[in-house]
Amino acid sequence: MHIRNSASISAEFSNASLFCKPWFLRRAAGCGVALLMAAGAQAQEVTLKIAHFLPSAAPTQQRVLQPWCDDLKKASGGRINCQFFPAMQLGGTPAQLADQVKNGVADVVWTGPGYSAGRFPAIEAFELPFMVKDATSSSRALWQYYQQNAQPEFAAYKVLAFHTDGGQAVHTAKKPVKGLTGFTGLKLRTSTRLGAKTLAALGGAPVAMPPAQVTEAISKGVVDGALGAWELVFPTKLSEVTKFHAQPAPGVAHPTATVLTVLMNKQKYDALSADLKAVVDKYSGEPLVERFGAVFDDEAAKARKKVGEIGNQLSTFSATEVAAMRVATASVEEEWAKQVGEKGLDGRKLINAARQLTGTAAGK
C-alpha cells in the first residue's frame, strides 16, 4: 500500500491549521477549504500485487483480471493500481497461493481451493463428478452455494469471486478416448483430488502436477494426456502435444471440473479507506463471477473451434456413454459425503444443494 509522503502531508496540515487558529475563526469558510484540501492530500493510493499460476497471456489475466483492475483504477480516480505476478513469479506452487495471500506475500490471488487438498471441504462439492455443465451457469450456482454453505471456511480471506472452469475435457496425445472403456490404463494429469478419484473410478491413472509442467510431461510420454479446461489448451501449448479431445455434448455435465476463486488478503482490504472498499466491492462478487463465466465459455468455444482448424480430432461422448460414466463414478460422491461428514459437515445436504443449484440431479 502506498500513501503520499508523510512529511509533505504533515506540512500541508500544519499550514491548513494556521487558518483555523482562534484569531482566524472569522474566516471559517477559508478554514474549511484549507482542511478539505489537506484531507485530499491524504487520499489513499494502493497498488495490489496479484499472483496466479498461468502465463500472463492467459485469458484469465488478459480478459478478466486486467479489465477488473482497469475498472478499479477508473472508478477510484487512479488511486487503485495492480501489479501482476503471473506464472508463480512470487515463488512457491499453485497449492501455496492460498497461504501467500493469507500471509500477505500477495494482496490478491487467483487459484483453485482444491489445489490444497482437503483444506476447503465444503466448496469441493462442485468438483464432484458430473456437477458442472458450463462456466456461466455453474459459476452463478457456485457463488450462491458459497454464500449459503461455504463462507466459514473462507473467513480468513476477503472473497472477491468464485467460478468454475466450465468442466474439463479429455486431451490425449496418441489415441482418442471413446466411452467408459477408453479411460482404462490412461495416465492423465488431474488438477484436484476429486478429479483424481473420478479418473480412477473411470479406470484411468491420475497424475498430479502443476499446469506449467503438463505439456512437457506429455511430450516426454510421462503422461498420456490431461483432464483440463479449454481455457488452458492454447496458453499452456497443450494443443501442440495432444491430438485428440473428448467431452460430453453441450448442456451435459462433465466428468470433472475445477473450482477457482479470487481471494484478497483480509488485512489489506480492511486497511482500505471506505471509498476504496466501495470500489472493490462494486466490481467484485457477482459482476466478477459473471465476467469469469462469460470469458471461460467464450474461450472454450474458441478453443474447440481452433483445435479443429489445426487438424486435431474433437469427439463427443454419447448419452449412453455418459450414463455409464455416472454409474461408475457414483462411489466418488458417496465417499466424499462420508469424508466431509467426519469433519462435521453434512455431505449429503451439500451435494443436494449443489445439484439443485446446477440442475445436475440424477437423470439431468
Side-chain angles (χ1 to χ4, degrees):
M1 184 179 297
H2 302 290
I3 311 295
R4 294 188 185 185
N5 183 275
S6 58
S8 64
I9 294 171
S10 297
E12 289 176 66
F13 262 103
S14 178
N15 292 334
S17 65
L18 289 175
F19 290 97
C20 302
K21 296 293 184 181
W23 57 87
F24 281 126
L25 286 179
R26 65 182 179 276
R27 301 176 63 181
C31 171
V33 170
L35 286 176
L36 285 173
M37 290 175 63
Q42 286 194 110
Q44 190 179 35
E45 296 178 0
V46 180
T47 297
L48 299 177
K49 295 185 295 182
I50 303 179
H52 62 85
F53 56 86
L54 288 182
S56 60
T60 294
Q61 179 171 327
Q62 295 300 318
R63 296 191 62 194
V64 182
L65 295 177
Q66 185 61 63
W68 174 73
C69 284
D70 293 343
D71 286 340
L72 297 186
K73 184 173 183 176
K74 182 178 180 181
S76 66
R79 291 161 55 209
I80 299 179
N81 290 278
C82 297
Q83 182 179 7
F84 282 93
F85 295 88
M88 302 307 300
Q89 289 179 359
L90 294 178
T93 66
Q96 294 171 320
L97 283 167
D99 279 331
Q100 287 184 359
V101 72
K102 182 178 179 180
N103 297 332
V105 175
D107 299 319
V108 176
V109 299
W110 175 70
T111 188
Y115 296 163
S116 305
R119 182 172 175 179
F120 304 101
I123 210 70
E124 281 186 329
F126 270 65
E127 294 179 343
L128 287 168
F130 299 97
M131 185 68 75
V132 168
K133 297 179 181 180
D134 58 62
T136 300
S137 68
S138 65
S139 295
R140 290 171 181 163
L142 176 59
W143 184 244
Q144 278 189 266
Y145 175 90
Y146 155 70
Q147 293 175 310
Q148 297 168 3
N149 301 284
Q151 288 196 46
E153 63 189 25
F154 291 92
Y157 306 91
K158 168 63 177 177
V159 176
L160 301 181
F162 270 105
H163 71 104
T164 78
D165 59 6
Q168 299 184 349
V170 189
H171 313 281
T172 49
K174 296 181 178 179
K175 64 177 184 178
V177 174
K178 296 183 178 180
L180 179 59
T181 58
F183 288 94
T184 304
L186 277 184
K187 290 184 292 182
L188 300 176
R189 181 261 177 177
T190 56
S191 58
T192 66
R193 75 181 193 96
L194 286 182
K197 289 180 179 295
T198 298
L199 178 58
L202 293 170
V207 180
M209 66 178 67
Q213 298 176 12
V214 177
T215 299
E216 183 179 1
I218 295 173
S219 68
K220 292 182 176 180
V222 176
V223 293
D224 300 307
L227 286 169
W230 285 103
E231 189 260 353
L232 296 172
V233 170
F234 286 93
T236 62
K237 299 184 178 181
L238 191 61
S239 56
E240 297 179 9
V241 294
T242 59
K243 300 300 179 185
F244 304 95
H245 313 271
Q247 66 171 48
V252 177
H254 291 66
T256 186
T258 302
V259 168
L260 296 151
T261 186
V262 182
L263 302 174
M264 184 174 182
N265 177 272
K266 191 173 177 61
Q267 290 71 36
K268 176 70 73 169
Y269 175 80
D270 289 343
L272 295 178
S273 57
D275 60 331
L276 294 191
K277 284 180 181 176
V279 170
V280 172
D281 291 345
K282 178 179 179 180
Y283 292 97
S284 303
E286 287 186 12
L288 189 53
V289 171
E290 289 291 327
R291 180 173 271 168
F292 269 114
V295 167
F296 267 63
D297 278 339
D298 184 56
E299 288 296 328
K302 289 180 179 178
R304 285 192 292 265
K305 180 180 180 181
K306 196 171 179 180
V307 294
E309 292 173 347
I310 64 175
N312 288 10
Q313 179 183 315
L314 175 59
S315 57
T316 302
F317 298 131
S318 69
T320 301
E321 290 170 336
V322 170
M325 291 179 200
R326 290 190 69 150
V327 172
T329 58
S331 61
V332 177
E333 186 172 294
E334 295 306 317
E335 181 185 359
W336 182 82
K338 181 179 179 182
Q339 287 178 341
V340 299
E342 294 169 355
K343 296 182 178 182
L345 300 175
D346 187 336
R348 180 48 56 188
K349 179 182 178 181
L350 294 177
I351 291 169
N352 290 340
R355 293 218 177 274
Q356 181 176 2
L357 287 167
T358 57
T360 58
K364 293 186 179 181

